[in-house]
Amino acid sequence: MRQKTLWLAASLAFVTLGCGGTPTATSVLEDAQEAMGNPDTIQYSGTGVNAFFGQALIAGEEWPLRDLAGYTRTINYEQRSARDEINFAQPVFGGQQQEQLVSGDSAWNAGPNGPAPQLAAAEERQLLIWMTPHGFLRGAMADGAATLTPAEGSNTVTFTALGKYQVAGTIDANNHVTSVRTTVANPVMGDIALVANYSGYMAFDGVQFPTRIEIEQGGFPLWQLDVTSVTPGAPADFPVPSWR
């Protein structure tokens, strides 16, 4: 009888250990989605600076920075679509106010003369959706083959976006996505790093979102944003214009 009791206790301990066993990419992603929320759409606004990528005055120096009077980004994760509304503080090439959109494999800019197709930009604009904190979690979950690299105090999950980009995201002990990085090809500079860093998480209507976003491309700042408002579940329907 005593042997049977010991055997049952050992079996129960084994089962308990198995239930809380070694984390997997899926379990880490699920914990992060539970902690951060999983909105179908999100809109965030803020101010900061944007760089004119690839236009350094001297080779090896940072891209010229342009102040933003306002910036709003609206994302529909279900539709793989987004709209960037950019208001520069000073006149810049392309207009002081710019509106850039993507929906699936279609990209365009909206302006006073109607939509202007930007099909070559569709892939990059889609990639930026999957590099947002909630986009990364969704993309990695949908991939089905994400891998996990654990480290002290954090985990790194890697998945393939758009069938070609190896996207790696770091998730900290609070289950917050703190950085997302990948490599993109550039016709002039070759393969260059694209890195997004996220900090200052706060709760907005039950969804955790960073209040500081810093994006680098080619080793230099591309975006630096202080987020002032976040709206989970915001209206986000961006039909492709009829020119398609």
Side-chain angles (χ1 to χ4, degrees):
M1 182 68 179
R2 185 171 179 273
Q3 287 182 338
K4 184 176 181 180
T5 301
L6 290 173
W7 181 84
L8 288 174
S11 299
L12 180 60
F14 178 80
V15 171
T16 303
L17 180 63
C19 291
T22 304
T24 64
T26 299
S27 68
V28 169
L29 293 168
E30 288 175 342
D31 288 346
Q33 283 190 325
E34 182 177 356
M36 291 177 48
N38 186 26
D40 290 336
T41 68
I42 200 162
Q43 181 182 84
Y44 59 92
S45 300
T47 59
V49 295
N50 162 257
F52 198 7
F53 174 71
Q55 299 300 314
L57 298 178
I58 301 176
E61 290 194 351
E62 295 186 359
W63 324 126
L65 296 176
R66 306 170 293 184
D67 290 330
L68 299 171
Y71 174 82
T72 298
R73 191 172 202 208
T74 309
I75 302 172
N76 187 320
Y77 295 113
E78 291 289 319
Q79 295 181 0
R80 295 184 299 125
S81 61
R83 178 180 64 200
D84 289 9
E85 299 170 271
I86 310 168
N87 185 5
F88 291 100
Q90 302 293 333
V92 298
F93 177 78
Q96 192 166 348
Q97 293 182 325
Q98 300 181 22
E99 188 172 344
Q100 303 172 354
L101 299 99
V102 63
S103 183
D105 296 328
S106 297
W108 66 100
N109 293 347
N113 297 321
Q118 303 288 320
L119 301 184
E123 187 170 277
E124 180 180 355
R125 293 181 186 180
Q126 277 194 71
L127 179 61
L128 290 174
I129 293 175
W130 304 128
M131 292 192 69
T132 63
H134 296 91
F136 169 77
L137 296 177
R138 277 180 171 255
M141 286 289 287
D143 179 64
T147 60
L148 175 68
T149 304
E152 186 176 353
S154 66
N155 289 290
T156 297
V157 176
T158 304
F159 78 100
T160 303
L162 304 176
K164 61 189 288 188
Y165 297 99
Q166 293 297 299
V167 180
T170 299
I171 301 172
D172 68 9
N174 295 317
N175 292 312
H176 292 159
V177 177
T178 57
S179 71
V180 181
R181 52 200 177 276
T182 190
T183 300
V184 296
N186 182 274
V188 176
M189 293 177 284
D191 292 342
I192 57 175
L194 178 62
V195 182
N197 293 309
Y198 302 106
S199 59
Y201 272 86
M202 293 180 61
F204 298 89
D205 293 331
V207 169
Q208 291 284 328
F209 199 84
T211 57
R212 178 69 176 178
I213 299 175
E214 298 175 307
I215 301 176
E216 296 180 357
Q217 190 167 7
F220 299 124
L222 184 66
W223 291 91
Q224 295 177 345
L225 295 172
D226 291 312
V227 176
T228 54
S229 67
V230 180
T231 306
D237 187 21
F238 309 122
V240 178
S242 59
W243 47 257
R244 188 173 189 270

